[in-house]
Amino acid sequence: MAVRGKLVLVCILGVLICSCNLFMVSEAVWLNLPASGTKCVSEEIHNNVVVLVDYVVVSDNHSHIPSISVKVTSPYGNNLHLKENVTHGQFAFTTHEAGNYLACFWVDGHVQGSGDVSVNIDWKTGIAAKDWDSVARKEKIEGVELELRKLEGAVEAIHENLLYLKSREEELRSVSEVTNTRVALFSFMSLGVCIAVSALQVWHLKRYFQKKKLI
């Protein structure tokens, strides 16, 4: 019975670790930048989330790698990262505004006309952006204990996402209720105006016919 219990515990831990790894997958994006113009990637992120992004220009011609410019803005338009004339780089920040974060890439002016430029972007958020090697060294943990810490972080991230979705749902419900109230008031006002105009038209026609002695 003890052996069977240990096997069940190991299986449960294996499932939990696999689930944790699913939540820790980072998002890799390939962009083909035209010689002129800008391409952007964006993600809707809630408040107080760590974001870590690595980007690198990939070129078949290793003797000449074209340079690009990068600009990252917050939902309110604040500049979080701006680099020009680079072939690779990294930026990291903690979100202070909930909304759509935008990262735009374009080819530098002096290399335009050389065709499309490929850029690889490794976008990590939340627990995927956390340096677990440093955590393991600092807290002197490894193996299953480290995986359990990752799982704990994944559960916290899921809980925060659920709270964010709940708050967004409440905001949308509030906006919907306000909109419905305004539509109802506008409908009553429109009905009142129509009734008033109709009554005024009847009164005007009645006076007109009385003056003409038609009634």
Side-chain angles (χ1 to χ4, degrees), residues 1 12 32 51 72 152 167 175:
M1 292 296 292
I12 293 174
N32 288 324
V51 179
V72 183
E152 182 183 0
S167 65
V175 171

Side-chain angles (χ1 to χ4, degrees), residues 32 47 51 54 77 87 94 98 112 116 146 185-186 194 201 208:
N32 288 324
N47 192 25
V51 179
D54 293 282
T87 58
T94 300
Q112 289 184 359
D116 291 353
L146 177 59
L185 290 175
F186 180 76
C194 290
Q201 287 179 340
Y208 174 78

